[in-house]
Amino acid sequence: MELFNADFGGARITGHGIGPVLEAFSGVSSIAVLRGGGLGDLMYALPAVAALKAAYPEASVTLLCTPVQAELLSQTVGPADEAVVLPFAEGVRPGPEDHHELERFFAGMRARNFDLAVQLHGGGRYSNPFLLGLGARHTVGTRTPDAAPLERTVPYVYYQHEPLRALEVAGFAGAPPRELEARLQALPEFGRQLAQELLLGNGGPELSNDGSANSGGPRQGLPLGNAPGYGRVLVIHPGATDLRRRWPAERFAAVARRAADDGFRVFVVGDSSEKELAETVVELAVEHSQAEHPGAEQVNTGSRKSESAEARPAVESLAGKLSLGELAALLAASSVVVANDSGPRHLAQALGAPTVGIYWAGNAINAAPLGRSRHRVRLGWVTRCPVCGVDVTQVGWTAPRCPHDESTVKAIEPSEVYGDVLQLTAMSPLPHGR
């Protein structure tokens, strides 16, 4: 077996955070951070970005990211100073590569003379050569045995909590942890618009005239103060990029139905590719509610046209209808969010919303929230594919992946999840003061 360990690049250990904190680099005025992927991947990186900002307060931090990540950063308040969209490149941003576009990108990046480049994008097989192409004075990141070396490297082992992995890398760059989890703020203008369109009641923090949250904590969402409507808001996200991480639609529907019966306003969210899934959840929820309670509210999967609170359904799909700024505002104002291991669940956590996360046990090691006062986690314990029996715990770049997409979390009971919803909305203190 090949011996493989951390590379300090000759630096001294000056402290301890998530592993050693090495001596900081001198003369750093510009930092590039590489992290592509989706919204969840961005949330994994933000604690490290905050640590770098604190350790190098005079430096600007540029996040090299994907379009969806850049859009979110432009519509929320976070620790990065700038977002630059990555070109298509193998293992960094999937898509058709354009050699000339890559050359233009790297020429532009080298012209900026970054003092420090930090790789938070996987094990480095593709991302380390990409990072080296930026031409920064210093490089730090993760590395598998087959990846190109950087100046300082943390060994990449798949099963590690992703935000803590990123913080360990930041420590190698001389930046001790400041926050263990991502923190973002929704912009009040999105909240004002959404509150008017959805006629939300006091299900979130009231905003003062300057748009800041009156209640404690970092949450900023919908200006709900005197608006009519429902008192508690449940947001459900039933999607996940990996179909094996998805809880069945009928189980989400059972939670939505119970919540609506108890007086929650329920919104099912997702991107445009998840509209059908979201509408299925809503239809199943209303269908069962009507069977149990004749005369129950009808489904609404249509437009967001303003109407009286009484006329709007208790369970409604907003999938494909929200900008990321509006989604952030809705999540920030929610009483609780129920979701799979997905970008919107991670975003809700970063915005300060309580969450109930539905996780396969292996994914929980890498991505579950750390605390339990504001977050609950329900686990699927499947270790072998229900169809072919392959060991699904063997994951990562080199692990074989069977072709089946059977849910690894379908055994989780709706009653357990809804019990967590009730616990989180009954607990005190919460940032809304409920």
Side-chain angles (χ1 to χ4, degrees):
M1 181 177 68
E2 181 181 357
L3 296 177
F4 184 61
N5 213 327
D7 187 348
F8 293 179
R12 294 180 299 106
I13 296 176
T14 60
H16 292 275
I18 311 299
V21 175
L22 305 184
E23 58 187 315
F25 298 105
S26 61
V28 173
S29 62
S30 59
I31 302 172
V33 178
L34 172 61
R35 180 70 216 210
L39 297 182
D41 300 302
L42 174 61
M43 298 306 109
Y44 301 155
L46 290 183
V49 173
L52 290 164
K53 280 291 292 182
Y56 299 97
E58 303 303 318
S60 62
V61 177
T62 299
L63 189 63
L64 308 181
C65 59
T66 58
V68 68
Q69 295 170 333
E71 180 185 348
L72 177 68
L73 291 171
S74 73
Q75 297 179 15
T76 55
V77 179
D81 296 301
E82 178 190 21
V84 172
V85 173
L86 291 161
F88 293 121
E90 184 179 8
V92 173
R93 182 184 169 201
E97 289 189 27
D98 182 326
H99 179 69
H100 297 295
E101 177 61 28
L102 279 169
E103 283 188 343
R104 283 193 295 270
F105 175 83
F106 283 119
M109 293 296 103
R110 286 192 294 269
R112 297 179 64 161
N113 297 314
F114 286 110
D115 298 301
L116 171 61
V118 180
Q119 188 276 102
L120 304 177
H121 187 94
R125 178 181 301 166
Y126 298 102
S127 49
N128 282 3
F130 189 97
L131 192 84
L132 291 167
L134 304 177
R137 274 200 302 127
H138 302 289
T139 57
V140 181
T142 50
R143 182 182 173 226
T144 54
D146 60 346
L150 304 176
E151 184 175 349
R152 302 176 185 176
T153 51
V154 175
Y156 182 90
V157 179
Y158 181 83
Y159 280 118
Q160 181 181 6
H161 194 263
E162 291 289 352
L164 300 188
R165 188 200 311 278
L167 283 170
E168 187 172 7
V169 172
F172 271 46
R178 302 281 291 193
E179 302 167 344
L180 297 183
E181 296 178 333
R183 291 289 178 265
L184 287 175
Q185 289 184 347
L187 292 174
E189 55 264 35
F190 291 106
R192 284 191 286 268
Q193 177 181 347
L194 197 62
Q196 183 177 14
E197 292 178 345
L198 299 180
L199 294 175
L200 286 171
N202 58 350
E206 181 181 352
L207 298 184
S208 61
N209 291 334
D210 65 359
S212 60
N214 289 333
S215 55
R219 300 181 68 181
Q220 291 186 13
L222 307 179
L224 306 174
N226 298 317
Y230 295 81
R232 293 185 294 176
V233 174
L234 168 64
V235 176
I236 288 176
H237 178 241
T241 304
D242 188 336
L243 299 181
R244 297 172 299 176
R245 299 202 306 258
R246 288 189 180 183
W247 204 35
E250 61 270 19
R251 303 213 154 202
F252 277 112
V255 172
R257 181 174 70 252
R258 288 281 304 277
D261 288 346
D262 284 346
F264 282 83
R265 184 83 174 274
V266 182
F267 295 106
V268 185
V269 299
D271 63 25
S272 57
S273 70
E274 297 166 329
K275 288 179 64 175
E276 183 177 352
L277 173 62
E279 291 169 2
T280 297
V281 171
V282 174
E283 289 164 0
L284 288 171
V286 175
E287 176 184 306
H288 286 294
S289 183
Q290 289 175 332
E292 295 176 10
H293 308 288
E297 294 188 61
Q298 296 296 312
V299 59
N300 185 345
T301 59
S303 71
R304 287 161 40 196
K305 181 181 178 181
S306 295
E307 49 193 304
S308 71
E310 290 78 9
R312 298 190 73 97
V315 184
E316 183 173 1
S317 172
L318 298 178
K321 301 168 188 172
L322 302 178
S323 68
L324 288 177
E326 290 173 318
L327 175 63
L330 178 63
L331 295 173
S334 64
S335 305
V336 63
V337 175
V338 174
N340 300 310
D341 172 20
S342 66
R345 196 222 64 82
H346 295 292
L347 176 57
Q349 178 182 337
L351 292 161
T355 70
V356 181
I358 297 163
Y359 279 81
W360 173 59
N363 293 137
I365 295 172
N366 283 40
L370 297 174
R372 292 296 175 268
S373 59
R374 303 279 298 286
H375 307 285
R376 301 297 167 83
V377 174
R378 290 290 164 177
L379 297 175
W381 294 96
V382 171
T383 59
R384 294 192 175 275
C385 172
V387 177
C388 66
V390 70
D391 183 358
V392 296
T393 67
Q394 301 304 307
V395 291
W397 283 102
T398 59
R401 170 40 163 117
C402 77
H404 308 112
D405 290 320
E406 292 294 308
S407 172
T408 58
V409 295
K410 63 183 178 182
I412 297 170
E413 291 294 334
S415 60
E416 298 173 338
V417 172
Y418 190 61
D420 288 336
V421 168
L422 294 179
Q423 289 283 342
L424 289 171
T425 53
M427 288 171 56
S428 181
L430 284 177
H432 296 244
R434 291 188 300 275

